[in-house]
Amino acid sequence: FLVVMGLMRRESCKRCAASTVAVVRAVAMAVIVSACLRPSSALLPGVAWGKAVIPRARTYAARTGIRLVQRGARSEPGNASPEPSSAAQTQQKQSPDDAERVSPDAEEASGKVTQALRRRDFTNGLSRVFTLSLTLALFVPAVRNLDGYRWFIAQIENLDSGAEPGSAETALLQKAGAIASKVGGSSVVDLGCGTGGDFRFILAAGLASPLEVKAVDPNPFVWNSAESMAKSLNFEVGTGTAERSASTVGRVVFATDIGEVKSGSASLVLGRRVLCSVDDPGAMMKEIFRVLRPGGVFVFTEHVAAREGSILRGVQEVVRPLQQAWANNCDPARETAAIIRTVPWAQFEAEVYAQENAGPLSPHIRGLAVKPA
């Protein structure tokens, strides 16, 4: 299914009728949902693991004399239980009164079997819920606007909260900071602040204190982590109206949309892997251009589409639906460099590099763009 959906996004297949795409989506969704709702499904790892528990349960039973009865199961030659042990044969010869007494070993084994079967049921149910959630996020984009999905994305973004700028990024940020300092002020817009990992990058730009940072992120579930990160870096978190403490390096104010930022108010805009996820990157570039002061600088790090026709580009196209479903609408095959150039920059610099251990997201660019003075 992912291969088909990926190929349909390629230029050579965009002539496919919308009805064809809809049919493919509907069939794939029906297959996945029906697989999840079946009483037993080999498609789910939890079921396969659960089936592996049964032989171990029979081994316990044979060793301790417990008799296992599977309700609703038919006796088949291939599924016959192992021969009972000598302990089991002895137990069968005991009187009814003795048979009512359960040995400690048998009771312990019975508990282990029960726990194993409960784990099987839990894993089975969890895998079904996971698969159904994936299906909904994959086929119903509106699910990505729900609080549950946003909370999930916030947990993933916590992985980036400890990010540190490398030597190449530090050099780029310092260059951007020097350009931004010429236009006056230390107002920064952090586009897609996430859980606060960008704040170290803002400090690395070397702008004069006090900094006024507008942290923009539409996901309110990341704000608590971002606030904690800001405070740990000696930022003050405020509403933008109260007086700032002189002992801090600056103040961070959160916003859900860049539209809340005044035109011509920022000397620097920072974007780290943001343009891949926005619904309309062209409109976002116009907003970035709007909020910058004349002579202000936009500094960016983005993953981009691989070369057209390459094997890596084909892989990006294939995994695109899954990546968008589980990575906050992130598009691994977006021509971000061309999108950034759509506004009239006075200066544009970009470096292409390969990010290590990033798989299909390895093609990256980083650079800066300066608004005309």
Side-chain angles (χ1 to χ4, degrees), residues 2-16 306-318 320 333:
L2 292 176
V3 171
V4 172
M5 290 302 300
L7 292 176
M8 284 183 173
R9 298 290 293 269
R10 297 183 69 86
E11 292 293 336
S12 58
C13 295
K14 284 188 176 179
R15 60 180 178 271
C16 295
R307 179 178 54 83
E308 183 67 37
S310 65
I311 295 177
L312 182 55
R313 179 62 176 269
V315 173
Q316 289 178 334
E317 296 282 1
V318 168
R320 173 189 268 168

Side-chain angles (χ1 to χ4, degrees), residues 218-253:
N219 187 352
F221 290 97
V222 302
W223 287 5
N224 285 338
S225 297
E227 181 176 338
S228 299
M229 177 60 69
K231 290 179 178 178
S232 70
L233 296 174
N234 202 27
F235 278 100
E236 179 181 306
V237 178
T239 61
T241 57
E243 287 294 328
R244 185 190 60 82
S245 172
S247 62
T248 59
V249 297
R251 175 166 50 196
V252 175
V253 179

